[in-house]
């Protein structure tokens, strides 16, 4: 795996870095990604894979790139419980509600933001911790579950 800087933007004390990430596997498969690092947060902006990744593999992608990204930013990832030395550390992901509980959380945040006149997508991002793309997908699934009206419904 290789990680190299794409660009960096500074605003006063705060810096946001974009990094290219490339994983190449022995069978010729390849994954290219663009990740953003700012104030200890990592956001994967774009992922391209050949052949396409299964959803299970995409879920593992964060674990595959976490250590190399941390090292590229001058830090070592903290070992999680059960990590043996030399096996690659990973953080425990926070427990988030799933399924109908998650849809209820999203619908509540979305509607509350609409009532306040705020951006409902940003409210869902704040509530769930997902990126904009992830929040939009989650809002779509919540609509499919019938908890939010269609985007095309008249108000």
């Amino acid at each position: 795996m290789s990680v190299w800087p794409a660009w960096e933007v500074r605003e006063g004390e705060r810096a946001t870095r974009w990094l290219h990430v490339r994983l190449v596997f022995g069978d010729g498969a390849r994954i290219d990604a663009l990740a953003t690092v700012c104030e200890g947060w990592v956001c994967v902006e774009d992922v391209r894979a050949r052949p396409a990744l299964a959803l299970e593999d995409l879920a593992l992608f964060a674990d595959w790139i976490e250590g190399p990204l941390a090292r590229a930013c001058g830090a070592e990832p903290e070992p999680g419980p059960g990590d043996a030395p030399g096996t690659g550390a990973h953080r425990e992901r926070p427990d988030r509600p799933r399924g109908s509980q998650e849809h209820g959380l999203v619908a509540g945040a979305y509607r509350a933001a609409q009532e306040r006149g705020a951006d409902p997508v940003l409210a869902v991002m704040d509530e769930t911790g997902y990126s904009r793309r992830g929040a939009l997908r989650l809002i779509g699934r919540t609509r499919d579950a019938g908890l939010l009206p269609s985007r095309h419904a008249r108000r």
Side-chain angles (χ1 to χ4, degrees), residues 33-106:
L34 181 64
T36 305
V37 179
C38 180
E39 296 179 347
W41 291 87
V42 174
C43 179
V44 177
E45 299 288 333
D46 187 40
V47 176
R48 295 172 188 239
R50 293 204 197 267
L53 291 174
L55 286 178
E56 296 82 21
D57 293 335
L58 189 56
L60 293 172
F61 181 67
D63 290 334
W64 295 339
I65 67 170
E66 182 177 19
L69 278 176
R71 284 185 287 282
C73 294
E76 280 296 320
E78 296 179 15
D83 281 336
T87 61
H90 67 278
R91 279 191 312 270
E92 291 295 316
R93 302 292 189 264
D95 287 334
R96 291 186 180 135
R98 298 285 185 216
S100 62
Q101 284 182 332
E102 185 175 46
H103 296 311
L105 179 77
V106 168

Side-chain angles (χ1 to χ4, degrees), residues 64-145:
W64 295 339
I65 67 170
E66 182 177 19
L69 278 176
R71 284 185 287 282
C73 294
E76 280 296 320
E78 296 179 15
D83 281 336
T87 61
H90 67 278
R91 279 191 312 270
E92 291 295 316
R93 302 292 189 264
D95 287 334
R96 291 186 180 135
R98 298 285 185 216
S100 62
Q101 284 182 332
E102 185 175 46
H103 296 311
L105 179 77
V106 168
Y110 191 96
R111 286 194 181 112
Q114 278 184 323
E115 289 170 8
R116 290 189 319 267
D119 183 348
V121 177
L122 287 177
V124 171
M125 290 169 62
D126 287 342
E127 187 69 32
T128 62
Y130 284 106
S131 68
R132 184 168 190 81
R133 285 182 186 173
L136 288 169
R137 281 191 297 267
L138 193 52
I139 290 167
R141 288 194 298 266
T142 303
R143 281 194 175 104
D144 292 345

Side-chain angles (χ1 to χ4, degrees), residues 11-32:
E11 293 181 51
E13 300 282 319
R14 184 177 173 203
T16 303
R17 298 173 65 193
W18 282 262
L19 301 161
H20 291 288
V21 180
R22 176 170 289 158
L23 289 108
V24 179
F25 298 90
D27 62 358
R30 179 171 136 176
I31 303 171
D32 289 302

